Amino acid sequence: SEYFTSCAVMCEDRKRLSNWIIKELFKLLNDSSISITACPVAPVNFARLIELISKGEITEVIARTVLYEMFTTGKEPDTVINEKDLKPIKNDDILIRTVEEVLKENPEASAQIKAGELKPVDFILGRVIKKTRGKADPKKVREIIGKTLL
């Protein structure tokens, strides 16, 4: 609770903060057999990571990679993002082209979505995320799929 409190004073999205501590940080701590008191990620850095997610500056997929790097190197999130070139794709044209490529590669899923089925949207979304190595914003990709096919 002390770690959470230390982070919470610097972080507006406390719900996301608690979820990330419980799910992501505890997993890394457990896997490494380290107690929270010896956590290599400073609360100020963890709070910054959560703020980056909350503001949409990075995706959760990117954030997991950043957290792992922070945990293993002790670096700040912004440093990891810059060094590893983990900035999300913000350019709509690139995302639109990627969605169109994935739709062409998967004509059956395209036809199903045009016919009103929504389950293939998740499949297409997953393919776009994979193709962009986790750099595409899932919400934006869903919007593009919707505009393209529905």
Side-chain angles (χ1 to χ4, degrees):
S1 69
E2 288 177 26
Y3 190 88
F4 173 81
T5 304
S6 297
C7 293
V9 296
M10 299 172 272
C11 183
E12 292 178 23
D13 192 347
R14 292 188 176 99
K15 183 175 181 175
R16 180 172 274 141
L17 172 66
S18 81
N19 286 337
W20 269 72
I21 288 174
I22 292 167
K23 286 183 175 179
E24 306 300 334
L25 186 60
F26 281 179
K27 181 184 182 315
L28 291 171
L29 291 167
N30 287 334
D31 290 349
S32 302
S33 300
I34 297 174
S35 74
I36 189 80
T37 56
C39 181
V41 179
V44 66
N45 292 335
F46 195 80
R48 173 69 180 145
L49 178 67
I50 300 306
E51 288 299 308
L52 289 168
I53 301 166
S54 297
K55 291 178 180 173
E57 293 181 32
I58 60 173
T59 64
E60 292 210 0
V61 172
I62 292 172
R64 285 184 190 89
T65 302
V66 172
L67 178 58
Y68 177 79
E69 286 296 315
M70 290 168 56
F71 191 85
T72 56
T73 66
K75 293 180 180 177
E76 297 176 358
D78 295 290
T79 302
V80 173
I81 291 166
N82 289 329
E83 286 180 358
K84 299 273 183 187
D85 191 28
L86 294 172
K87 294 181 179 116
I89 299 169
K90 300 246 184 212
N91 185 318
D92 283 356
D93 293 336
I94 293 171
L95 291 175
I96 290 167
R97 274 196 307 271
T98 307
V99 167
E100 288 172 351
E101 285 175 24
V102 170
L103 290 171
K104 284 179 187 171
E105 293 166 2
N106 299 281
E108 310 89 31
S110 258
Q112 289 173 333
I113 294 168
K114 285 179 183 175
E117 292 182 45
L118 295 179
K119 191 167 183 158
V121 171
D122 291 332
F123 172 77
I124 297 297
L125 172 67
R127 295 290 182 193
V128 171
I129 298 293
K130 185 176 182 178
K131 196 168 210 140
T132 62
R133 295 175 303 162
K135 292 183 179 184
D137 179 4
K139 289 179 187 173
K140 211 172 224 184
V141 172
R142 277 188 192 281
E143 287 175 22
I144 293 168
I145 293 169
K147 288 177 185 174
T148 305
L149 294 176
L150 302 176

